[in-house]
Every structure is written in C-alpha cells, then in structure tokens.
Amino acid sequence: MSLTTIAEAVGGRLADVVDPGVQVTEPAVFDSREAGPGSLFVALAGERADGHAFAESAHNKGAVVALVNRPVGVPAIVVDDVLHAFGTLAHTLLTGPLAATRVVAITGSAGKTSTKDFVSQVLPGSVVATPQSFNNEIGLPLTVTMADTTTDHLVLEMGARHIGDIRDLTLVAPPDISIVTNVGTAHIGEFGGRDNIAEAKGEIVEALAPGGLAVLNADDDYVQPMRERAGGSVVTFGLGEDADVRATDLSTDAHGRTSFTLVTPEGSAPVQLQFVGGVQVHNSLAAAAVGRGVGLTPEEIAARLSRAVPRSRWRMETVTRADGVTIVNDTYNANPTSVRHAIEALASMSGGAEQRSVAVLGRMNELGDDARPAHEEIGRHAAAQGLDMIVLVGGAEAGWMRDGVRDAGGRATWVPDQEAALGLLHPALRPGDVVLVKASRAVQLQQLVEELLKPAPPAGRLTGGSR
C-alpha cells in the first residue's frame, strides 16, 4: 500500500514525506531493531520507552514510514491515536487486499497457542499464524500485516483480561472460523469469576458472520452454551460420544505423547501426536474440527496432526541433557488449569527408580481472591500424582503450594529463589530424571531452565525434604 493510501485509511496526515507514492511492502514492526527495507514502524509510547524516539533508527534500517502521533523528522503518518490507527489499518487490509483470506480466531483460558500451532499445520495452502502469543490489540494487527495476497488462512490468537476485549479484536479481524478451547480460571482476578470469563470468551463466537463456523469444546460446561451465541454453524470436539469430532482409544508413550483414533462423521483415522501432554488431545481435536470445516478428509487431518510439531517456545518444550536428564520447559505462563495438565504430563513421562519425576513450580499470577486456594489446590494435586520431588520457588504463593502438598500427605521443598533451586537441583538430579519447570511468565523461571541445561556438577542423591 502507498503512504497516501495508508494515510487515508487511518485518517492521518503525511509528514516529512518526499514521495507519497512509495509503498509499504513488508510487515509492520514495533521494535526499531527489527525494521528493514519496505517495513512500517509503529511508534508506541510504553511505560519504559517511547517508540517515537526510535523512529529515526527504524528509518535508517529501511522502514518506509513511521506511524506516529507527532512529527519525528523522518517520513511519517501522523494520527491522534497510534494503536487505534494500527487496528484500523489491519481491518482495512482484511476487508481489502486480504478479503479472500480466511480468518481463524482462537481463544480460551488455556491451550490457545498449542491449538494455534496445530491449526496452522493442519490447514492447507499458505498459512500465517500469530507469532509467540501476540494475541492483544498490539500483536493481532501486527500478525495481520504479516499476511499477503497469497495467504489462504490467517490464524489469530485472541486474548482477554476484560469483557469486551475480544469483541474489540474481532472488530479488527472478523473471524470466519472461531475456536473456544475452554473456560478456566486464567486471569480470574481480573474478570471476577468464570461466568464473566465465559461471557468474554463467547464474544469470539458472536462475532461470526452468517456462514461462519464455531468450533466449541463439548467437554467444557462453560463452552457448550456458546452455541446459542453463534450466528453460523457449530461443530463440537471432545472425548464424549456427543462430540462431532472426538478421540477414542487413547494411549500415552514414555515421552508423554498421546496416540488416539480420530473419529468424525465422515470416518476415522489413527493419530500419533508429537506434542507432550494429554491436554494436547483436545487442542488437536479443535484443529481437526477446523480441518474438517475446510473440507479435509479424516485421513488427511490425521496425517497432518501426526506430523505437527510444537512451534512456540517454553510450552512443554522438552530437552534431554547429555547426561540423560530431561528438562520440560513450560515457563511461558501458568494458570491452575495449565499447571494441573503439566503436572499430569510429568507423571505420565516418568515412573520407577530409573525415571523419577521432579516438579519445579512457581507462582500463578492474576488469581485475585482465589490465589491462596488455587495454589493450595495445585500443591494437593502435585502430591496426588506421586511425584518423586516437588520444589516450590518464591514467596507466599510457594508456601501456599507447600501447605497443599502437606495437606495431601506429600513432601515438598520450599526455596526462596532460583539460585537456591539450582543449588538444590544440580547435585540431586541423575540420568533418567524428568524435570518440569512451570510458573507464570513474570517469575522468569526460563532462566532456571537455561542454567539447568548447562553441564551439571557431579550428581548426588535426590531428597524430598520440606521447609
């Protein structure tokens, strides 16, 4: 699009532009270090830095124009509200040059990113999907600019912390297919209850145009009623016999990967997932329902699911060290549902004296008044899985988990920080052990994972002390 066309679309004016006919040919960027020839730099003012200060740097790297709220001395489109204008630009792309691109929108309390990875690998043709978890009012339009006229499908995560957030995102990118993975307790402190979470997640279904497809989790009591909010057709997925797309004959291998028979109204086919964790069955079934919705056969869907691999970092990312210790990095984020699933996956990946299970857990954020009971319940759940060692890292929340472990008759070690956790784990781990590391993103436990993946000192004995 030319600078003139973009300015007209977003209601802006050109500043310091020599040739208004110059075209933006590459995706937008927010980080000036990622700018390149043909890109558009979006200058946002954040808490720690103002993007306007980096517009010249982006220009020097080849950015054609900057989207700004004041002139910056380099070619720019000046608007009143940069973020609103960027959303308007994305909507203009989807209703204009990208009108033929099918939009698949995904939301849910957990599993959005893994479902996105499955869907993007099941769909045929050219697919562009949300990078990482860019699922808000910044990341969603950014993803739209990554598509072009050859893109057949655009797979977008949509996150929310308040009622109305998803509605706003669907106004930018109206979905042709909407997926709701589940309604759990993520961000429950922000929402004030699961009923409100369900209300918010259901906005993605209400946004469907006539002829659209809603893909809903039949095993979730909060998701099933959303079919009444769908303007188009509905297909359900799950393990129960009432689901349109379901899985039977489930089994799990020693690496925590599930195989099953995919059952659809058109037939069935065997699937062997490459993703770790039983929860991935539901995520893959959601993708199977999408594949069915675009006309793939059960055999084609099963083959694509079986080839699909995780594409997003720090989500049950599994690496085995040279000494045989396996580290499962699930540190991107955490909520009660995802932590329970991760612990269950750990239990399925280990067993016996030669393959012991070690859970390293930190706090879960944004739980509001439910924070203490939720952490205590995670402790009880960890104890019930019969794990060989439970290490709880951090402050009060770790202590609450420790209390839950004790309530269930288990034992756990509570350490104040990552350094203490590393000091405990390095001498304790031995070949064959499986170590799960999980907490909310703000805890930054991926740093502990990085240290655990380095060559370890001589192994010692695994102990299960408590504090």
Side-chain angles (χ1 to χ4, degrees):
M1 300 176 70
S2 70
L3 303 193
T4 298
T5 302
I6 295 174
E8 291 176 351
V10 302
R13 63 180 178 85
L14 300 178
D16 300 304
V17 170
V18 176
D19 181 4
V22 170
Q23 292 193 333
V24 173
T25 58
E26 296 298 321
V29 297
F30 291 98
D31 187 333
S32 62
R33 294 168 295 185
E34 297 176 0
S39 63
L40 178 149
F41 175 66
V42 183
L44 288 179
E47 294 180 359
R48 288 175 290 184
D50 186 347
H52 291 75
F54 301 93
E56 183 176 359
S57 175
H59 173 71
N60 292 338
K61 289 181 176 294
V64 173
V65 71
L67 188 62
V68 297
N69 61 23
R70 62 181 183 273
V72 287
V74 297
I77 299 172
V78 182
V79 295
D80 293 334
D81 185 326
V82 172
L83 190 55
H84 177 75
F86 190 42
T88 300
L89 175 59
H91 183 76
T92 300
L93 288 169
L94 287 171
T95 55
L98 303 179
T101 300
R102 181 184 279 118
V103 174
V104 181
I106 305 169
T107 196
S109 296
K112 292 187 294 296
T113 300
S114 293
T115 300
K116 172 205 67 183
D117 287 352
F118 276 120
V119 170
S120 64
Q121 294 174 78
V122 165
L123 286 170
S126 173
V127 180
V128 169
T130 300
Q132 301 180 49
S133 284
F134 288 5
N135 59 23
N136 61 10
E137 69 276 14
I138 300 173
L140 183 136
L142 177 68
T143 306
V144 173
T145 71
M146 296 170 62
D148 59 34
T149 54
T150 69
T151 303
D152 298 298
H153 299 96
L154 184 60
V155 184
L156 301 173
E157 283 188 50
M158 294 187 177
R161 282 181 166 81
H162 309 92
I163 291 175
D165 285 352
I166 291 176
R167 181 178 298 112
D168 291 343
L169 295 177
T170 61
L171 291 174
V172 173
D176 299 293
I177 299 176
S178 293
I179 304 171
V180 183
T181 61
N182 49 58
V183 172
T185 53
H187 312 304
I188 196 168
E190 300 283 341
F191 281 106
R194 288 184 73 185
D195 288 336
N196 289 341
I197 295 175
E199 177 64 25
K201 300 301 183 184
E203 293 169 358
I204 205 169
V205 177
E206 292 178 345
L208 284 168
L213 175 66
V215 177
L216 304 178
N217 186 345
D219 297 336
D220 190 309
D221 292 339
Y222 283 86
V223 175
Q224 287 190 61
M226 293 181 191
R227 65 187 311 137
E228 304 301 324
R229 301 167 66 177
S233 58
V234 175
V235 62
T236 61
F237 65 92
L239 303 182
E241 293 187 1
D242 58 338
D244 299 315
V245 176
R246 57 195 179 95
T248 63
D249 308 318
L250 279 69
S251 63
T252 304
D253 67 15
H255 301 287
R257 301 173 303 193
T258 304
S259 61
F260 60 88
T261 299
L262 172 67
V263 180
T264 75
E266 293 74 33
S268 60
V271 175
Q272 171 62 66
L273 297 180
Q274 303 304 312
F275 288 61
V276 173
V279 68
Q280 303 298 351
V281 174
H282 275 84
N283 297 336
S284 67
L285 288 175
V290 172
R292 176 176 176 266
V294 300
L296 297 180
T297 67
E299 293 77 15
E300 289 172 327
I301 295 168
R304 290 168 183 262
L305 287 177
S306 297
R307 290 195 300 266
V309 295
R311 288 179 170 174
S312 303
R313 295 205 62 195
W314 305 346
R315 295 168 178 85
M316 298 301 287
E317 186 176 349
T318 304
V319 178
T320 300
R321 299 189 326 199
D323 63 357
V325 174
T326 297
I327 309 296
V328 182
N329 181 353
D330 200 27
T331 58
Y332 190 86
N333 220 332
N335 60 66
T337 301
S338 66
V339 177
R340 287 175 64 92
H341 289 155
I343 291 171
E344 291 164 4
L346 170 65
S348 73
M349 297 171 68
S350 56
E354 300 303 318
Q355 197 173 37
R356 302 172 304 172
S357 54
V358 182
V360 184
L361 308 175
R363 75 173 184 271
M364 302 175 289
N365 288 342
E366 299 181 351
L367 296 177
D369 293 340
D370 291 335
R372 180 163 191 155
H375 283 88
E376 290 174 346
E377 175 55 32
I378 288 299
R380 287 189 289 271
H381 188 66
Q385 297 299 309
L387 305 180
D388 293 291
M389 185 177 187
I390 302 171
V391 180
L392 307 170
V393 184
E397 295 87 353
W400 298 336
M401 285 189 281
R402 188 274 314 269
D403 293 342
V405 172
R406 287 181 172 178
D407 289 346
R411 303 179 68 196
T413 302
W414 177 15
V415 296
D417 52 36
Q418 297 190 41
E419 183 177 358
L422 185 65
L424 174 69
L425 291 165
H426 257 332
L429 299 176
R430 67 190 189 200
D433 291 344
V434 183
V435 184
L436 167 71
V437 185
K438 187 164 182 63
S440 282
R441 181 69 177 276
V443 183
Q444 298 286 296
L445 279 191
Q446 77 275 3
Q447 297 173 359
L448 175 61
V449 171
E450 292 172 2
E451 294 301 318
L452 286 172
L453 289 174
K454 294 177 181 178
R461 298 178 61 84
L462 182 67
T463 59
S466 62
R467 167 181 158 188

